[in-house]
Structures are given as C-alpha cells and as structure tokens.
Amino acid sequence: MIDKAKLLLKGKASKKNQGIYLFGLLFFCVIFFTISIIIYPNYSIFQESISSLGIPNENPDGYFYWSIGMMVLGLLFIPHLLYFYRVLHPTAYKTSIISLILSIIASLGLVGVGYFPEDTIYPHYTCATIAFLGYFSSFCCNLYILNKKIKDQEPWPKKWQVFLLYFQLFGIMFLFISAFIIFGLFYFYGIYWIAPNLPFLEWAVFISNLLYIIGLFLIIPDPS
C-alpha cells in the first residue's frame, strides 16, 4: 500500500490506480463543493461567483467546505500532473517540462484561491489569475505535444480526440474572455452592449478545465 502511494505521488502509478486516484479526488471535491452550495443561502451559479462560496461573511456555515475542497483539489492535482508529464515527455521533452511547471504553478494558485477568501481581493484574484493563465498555458503546451504525436504517426491520440478536447476548452475560454472584455468596457468606459453572465462562465471555465484533465487521462492508452 505504501509503495502504491509513493508511485501515485510520483506520477508513476498504473493507469488503473491513477484513475482511481483522479476520480476519487474529484468525487471528494464535488461532495465538499455541493455541501457548500447547499448551505449557502439562496446560491445561484447565475448570480454568484464560484469564490463567493468561500467568503465567511456570505457563507458562514459552508465556506470551510469550499475552501478545503479547493485547496485539496489544487494540491492533490500535482501528482496527476506528474503522471501527464511522464506520459508526454518522450515526445517533446522541453515542452512537457514547461507544461509541468506551468500546471504546478497553476495548482498552487488554486490552493491560494481556496485559502484566501474572495473579499481579500488582491491575494485571491492574484491566485485566481495565476491558476487561470497557468492551466490554460499548460494545456496549450500539451496541444503542441499531442499534435506532434499525430504528426509523428504515434499510436495515440486520434485527431478527433484532440479536436473534442480542445474544442470545448477553447470555446468556453473564448466566451469567458469575451464576456470579461465586455464587462471591462462597461466598468471602465461605460460602454454597454449586453450583460455578460460572468458567474456562470466562471463555473463553465472551471468545469471545462476539469473535463480537459479527465479527457486527456482517458485518451492515454493503458500500457498494460
């Protein structure tokens, strides 16, 4: 058991054990996030940001669950990122190292998002920006690696797998960035065309990143 745990922490576990680890982690966090949402008074993903769940004054009975869930998610993602690195680095060693570093920094940013409540403003949003840009940049590095694997005619991935993986990721990211720009134009310059629903799109980006991680794991073949 101890040896298996060490392999997991180093990203060297079998795909079966890595899958149990990944989905177990996600299940734990979903339970904690759900508890926080249920306890939060009249919470709506269309009106309140994700981080609102972690504000003690707004969610006095549930903020703890959200904060713990987010910090655990960020910290325990790191072994899984090591697993991705070990799978991808034979194809593009330098790019996979860059991807790993960016994703680990992003995961630490996610820990900071859970630790610093949204009402602390600068620490929270600094960590959120690090997580947001870090993961997206890392996933873009992975796109280069996956395309190189296809170009080199390696057994995996298939073109359609990469397309689906990044279509949902880039699509949601485009909508979020567009909405953020529209909000900025209104906030700073009074220009107002439509009312972008940023809270909902925050959830969409968060879920899209999780779907990417799950999807990339699923298309990796089992060497056994």
Side-chain angles (χ1 to χ4, degrees):
M1 183 64 71
I2 295 177
D3 290 338
K4 288 184 178 180
K6 288 181 179 180
L7 290 174
L8 278 171
L9 293 177
K10 294 179 180 180
K12 295 181 177 180
S14 66
K15 182 170 183 179
K16 177 182 177 181
N17 290 336
Q18 198 69 41
I20 293 172
Y21 173 84
L22 173 62
F23 288 103
L25 171 62
L26 294 177
F27 179 76
F28 170 85
C29 293
V30 166
I31 292 298
F32 269 55
F33 292 156
T34 301
I35 293 173
S36 182
I37 290 173
I38 292 173
I39 296 176
Y40 191 104
N42 300 317
Y43 183 82
S44 170
I45 62 173
F46 299 102
Q47 297 177 350
E48 304 289 344
S49 67
I50 299 177
S51 297
S52 296
L53 293 168
I55 301 178
N57 290 335
E58 295 186 14
N59 192 16
D61 298 319
Y63 80 93
F64 173 81
Y65 297 97
W66 182 89
S67 299
I68 292 298
M70 191 63 73
M71 288 190 288
V72 168
L73 183 65
L75 188 62
L76 295 190
F77 253 158
I78 294 177
H80 196 69
L81 300 172
L82 290 171
Y83 175 79
F84 283 160
Y85 163 73
R86 296 189 185 281
V87 171
L88 298 174
H89 89 271
T91 302
Y93 184 73
K94 292 182 179 179
T95 307
S96 63
I97 291 177
I98 294 172
S99 177
L100 175 63
I101 292 172
L102 289 171
S103 60
I104 289 177
I105 292 173
S107 292
L108 295 177
L110 206 61
V111 173
V113 168
Y115 182 79
F116 297 106
E118 189 178 26
D119 54 2
T120 59
I121 308 299
Y122 292 111
H124 178 86
Y125 283 105
T126 298
C127 291
T129 302
I130 290 172
F132 176 81
L133 295 178
Y135 280 128
F136 185 69
S137 300
S138 172
F139 298 160
C140 287
C141 289
N142 291 347
L143 176 59
Y144 166 79
I145 300 173
L146 295 174
N147 281 331
K148 188 174 186 300
K149 291 174 74 66
I150 293 174
K151 184 178 179 181
D152 294 343
Q153 297 183 333
E154 296 188 27
W156 74 280
K158 306 297 183 184
K159 289 183 180 180
W160 65 267
Q161 293 173 328
V162 176
F163 173 79
L164 290 178
L165 204 60
Y166 284 90
F167 178 78
Q168 65 89 22
L169 182 72
F170 288 159
I172 295 297
M173 197 65 68
F174 173 78
L175 290 175
F176 177 77
I177 293 175
S178 298
F180 198 80
I181 291 173
I182 293 172
F183 175 80
L185 290 173
F186 167 71
Y187 187 84
F188 292 105
Y189 301 103
I191 301 174
Y192 195 82
W193 299 311
I194 59 174
N197 196 309
L198 285 176
F200 175 76
L201 288 173
E202 280 186 18
W203 274 105
V205 169
F206 180 66
I207 294 173
S208 174
N209 278 265
L210 294 180
L211 289 176
Y212 173 89
I213 291 172
I214 294 171
L216 181 57
F217 172 74
L218 291 177
I219 68 175
I220 293 173
D222 189 345
S224 62

